[in-house]
Amino acid sequence: LAKTTQPISMDSYEGQEVNITCSHNNIATNDYITWYQQFPSQGPRFIIQGYKTKVTNEVASLFIPADRKSSTLSLPRVSLSDTAVYYCLVGEDGGSYIPTFGRGTSLIVHP
Amino acid sequence: GAGVSQSPRYKVAKRGQDVALRCDPISGHVSLFWYQQALGQGPEFLTYFQNEAQLDKSGLPSDRFFAERPEGSVSTLKIQRTQQEDSAVYLCASSTSMGQETQYFGPGTRLLVL
């Protein structure tokens, strides 16, 4: 059962780059790494997904080292609106994906 | 296009009352998930449907919780004889297929049991 560990909270300032690292030592060969963002009173929203190396989209980048035991979500030049909780998920093995969110990382961006 | 919708958005129930929470997934999405999110916690998996088949209900906390998706589209989560510990946000998500596909979440139903 793949399990993830993330920092409980992080603080940053507008315009800075924010990196949130997630540990998943027991990741299985077929597992992907997915990040979601959740604002208060809303459901989580997909940010990015990757399997290895680096993935980039218009919102974020995801860095995954060769051993895949961790991953880092990178948010470039954050703004106040990036204040949210960020969840790292790893797919379970066996073809039946039961998403496990954990507590996530609460990011607060200060002016 | 329309996203996942849930109703009601807020529900206040007296302890012992039955409640029914509705989820309208994105049209054509095969998979549908229900989650429970307590204050300050991440969403916790309750149950999962592929079309009308409930493939996993391992996360349902007790036999008071029941979910159905009879025609493979709209789903209802029913909680019988509500207890105070059932107070939480109930989230519904849908995706195009099984596996590690992107899930699209609704806004949730906030349930308060007094």
Side-chain angles (χ1 to χ4, degrees):
Chain A
L1 183 67
K3 188 175 179 180
T4 60
T5 303
Q6 307 174 231
I8 294 294
S9 63
M10 295 183 68
D11 288 87
S12 184
Y13 292 88
E14 284 190 291
Q16 289 190 336
E17 178 184 75
V18 171
N19 296 308
I20 305 174
T21 296
C22 178
S23 298
H24 29 78
N25 292 320
N26 297 325
I27 190 169
T29 304
N30 295 332
D31 288 345
Y32 280 72
I33 300 152
T34 310
W35 286 80
Y36 284 83
Q37 174 192 55
Q38 186 176 27
F39 298 112
S41 300
Q42 295 185 24
R45 182 183 71 149
F46 171 86
I47 301 175
I48 197 165
Q49 184 182 74
Y51 182 79
K52 63 180 180 180
T53 63
K54 177 184 175 182
V55 179
T56 297
N57 61 23
E58 64 278 6
V59 176
S61 294
L62 179 59
F63 298 91
I64 306 168
D67 66 7
R68 304 201 326 124
K69 293 185 182 299
S70 67
S71 60
T72 299
L73 174 72
S74 181
L75 304 173
R77 298 179 298 282
V78 294
S79 64
L80 297 177
S81 62
D82 292 315
T83 294
V85 178
Y86 293 82
Y87 297 97
C88 163
L89 280 72
V90 174
E92 292 193 12
D93 200 5
S96 176
Y97 180 41
I98 305 301
T100 303
F101 277 79
R103 292 189 62 182
T105 298
S106 176
L107 171 67
I108 298 176
V109 179
H110 303 275
Chain B
V4 177
S5 61
Q6 293 186 244
S7 60
R9 289 295 313 277
Y10 303 92
K11 177 68 179 178
V12 179
K14 292 182 178 180
R15 191 174 57 178
Q17 188 178 357
D18 297 349
V19 299
L21 313 180
R22 177 187 169 107
C23 172
D24 283 82
I26 294 174
S27 177
H29 276 195
V30 170
S31 297
L32 186 145
F33 299 79
W34 282 99
Y35 297 86
Q36 181 189 59
Q37 186 169 25
L39 191 63
Q41 305 293 318
E44 291 198 4
F45 170 82
L46 294 177
T47 186
Y48 158 67
F49 290 86
Q50 184 184 11
N51 295 308
E52 69 278 5
Q54 188 174 20
L55 299 186
D56 192 311
K57 53 182 181 179
S58 62
L60 295 176
S62 77
D63 58 8
R64 296 186 294 105
F65 286 71
F66 172 76
E68 60 182 4
R69 193 186 185 196
E71 298 179 358
S73 178
V74 171
S75 177
T76 303
L77 176 67
K78 297 179 180 178
I79 309 174
Q80 297 176 325
R81 304 180 304 282
T82 52
Q83 303 294 315
Q84 286 186 324
E85 61 263 28
D86 299 335
S87 295
V89 175
Y90 291 85
L91 294 162
C92 173
S94 69
S95 65
T96 55
S97 64
M98 293 179 62
Q100 300 174 54
E101 299 295 326
T102 300
Q103 295 190 29
Y104 296 85
F105 283 81
T109 294
R110 183 175 297 276
L111 173 65
L112 177 62
V113 181
L114 302 176

